């Protein structure tokens, strides 16, 4: 009986260490490619447009148009738009969004293309981050995706069906967990 307790305790400790190791892989990246959370607004200022204030969250978002076109690529997929979210208090980067629109077709082929892309992206992120995703599907709005949670960062990949004549869209969100935590705590 004692050996069973020791064995189960060791397995539990190893699983905690594994989770910590996996979380650190996401946190090590601290953003997306050369875009790093915590960067100052000034670093990106010359490549920003379309400011949108999100006052209740003390955020401002900008469309980011980098000269390095490689920043639009995630593995083998090219995204259409990058949005950066900055704190209006500190002017620090606290979130990144990569957005891809799948054009409408006469059938729902755009959704299948989007789902296939999402499946491949989840597999690639899982390989990079040690299979740490939590997958989800929402039948009400036709969205599917996965989340990855580090100690400092939260990442979410979502693909949603917008309609037969509208198309589908995919989005990758990378946010500072401390910001998200304070946002949710203020509303609870």
């Amino acid at each position: 009986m004692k050996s069973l307790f020791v064995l189960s305790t060791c397995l539990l400790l190893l699983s905690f260490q594994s989770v910590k190791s996996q979380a650190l892989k996401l946190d090590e990246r601290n953003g997306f490619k050369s875009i790093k959370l915590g960067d100052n607004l000034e670093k990106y200022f010359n490549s920003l447009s379309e400011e949108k204030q999100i006052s209740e969250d003390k955020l401002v978002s900008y469309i980011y148009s980098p000269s390095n076109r490689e920043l639009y690529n995630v593995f083998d997929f090219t995204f259409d738009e990058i949005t950066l979210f900055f704190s209006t208090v500190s002017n620090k980067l606290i979130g990144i969004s990569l957005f891809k629109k799948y054009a409408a077709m006469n059938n729902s082929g755009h959704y299948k293309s989007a789902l296939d892309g999402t499946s491949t992206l989840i597999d690639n992120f899982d390989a990079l981050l040690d299979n740490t995703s939590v997958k989800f599907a929402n039948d009400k709005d036709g969205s599917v995706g996965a989340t990855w949670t580090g100690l400092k960062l939260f990442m979410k990949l979502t693909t949603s069906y917008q309609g037969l004549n509208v198309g589908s869209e995919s989005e990758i969100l990378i946010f500072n967990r401390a910001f998200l935590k304070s946002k949710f705590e203020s509303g609870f």
Side-chain angles (χ1 to χ4, degrees):
M1 185 68 161
K2 184 177 179 182
S3 64
L4 183 59
F5 174 75
V6 171
L7 180 61
S8 64
T9 302
C10 287
L11 287 174
L12 184 62
L13 289 174
L14 284 173
S15 69
F16 281 134
Q17 184 60 36
S18 176
V19 168
K20 183 178 179 186
S21 168
Q22 293 166 353
L24 291 176
K25 285 199 172 196
L26 179 61
D27 292 337
E28 281 174 3
R29 304 195 79 77
N30 194 36
F32 174 70
K33 296 185 178 182
S34 63
I35 306 170
K36 300 300 180 188
L37 297 185
D39 282 349
N40 254 323
L41 174 65
E42 290 81 30
K43 178 178 177 181
Y44 303 96
F45 199 73
N46 291 331
S47 300
L48 301 176
S49 62
E50 298 185 42
E51 177 182 339
K52 181 180 177 191
Q53 293 283 335
I54 310 170
S55 59
E56 66 273 6
D57 292 329
K58 297 180 181 159
L59 283 178
V60 61
S61 68
Y62 296 92
I63 303 298
Y64 179 48
S65 303
S67 57
N68 179 0
R69 302 301 297 168
E70 181 61 29
L71 287 174
Y72 289 95
N73 297 332
V74 181
F75 300 110
D76 293 334
F77 298 90
T78 301
F79 281 71
D80 304 321
E81 183 176 284
I82 301 171
T83 302
L84 303 181
F85 298 85
F86 293 89
S87 163
T88 57
V89 176
S90 67
N91 283 335
K92 300 280 187 191
L93 181 64
I94 54 124
I96 304 163
S97 166
L98 291 104
F99 180 82
K100 180 172 182 60
K101 181 78 172 170
Y102 291 85
M105 301 176 182
N106 290 337
N107 56 34
S108 61
H110 56 83
Y111 189 51
K112 181 175 179 352
S113 294
L115 289 176
D116 290 345
T118 297
S119 179
T120 301
L121 284 169
I122 289 171
D123 290 346
N124 289 339
F125 281 127
D126 275 348
L128 182 69
L129 302 171
D130 290 339
N131 297 313
T132 58
S133 67
V134 176
K135 294 162 185 71
F136 64 87
N138 184 335
D139 292 336
K140 285 185 180 180
D141 66 3
S143 66
V144 298
T147 61
W148 295 263
T149 304
L151 301 173
K152 298 176 184 175
L153 300 183
F154 173 80
M155 184 169 77
K156 180 179 181 182
L157 166 61
T158 306
T159 293
S160 57
Y161 180 77
Q162 300 298 305
L164 187 61
N165 297 318
V166 180
S168 298
E169 54 191 42
S170 294
E171 183 175 34
I172 298 171
L173 291 171
I174 304 166
F175 263 86
N176 174 296
R177 280 193 64 197
F179 168 79
L180 293 175
K181 184 178 179 186
S182 69
K183 179 183 179 320
F184 292 125
E185 284 177 348
S186 68
F188 186 66

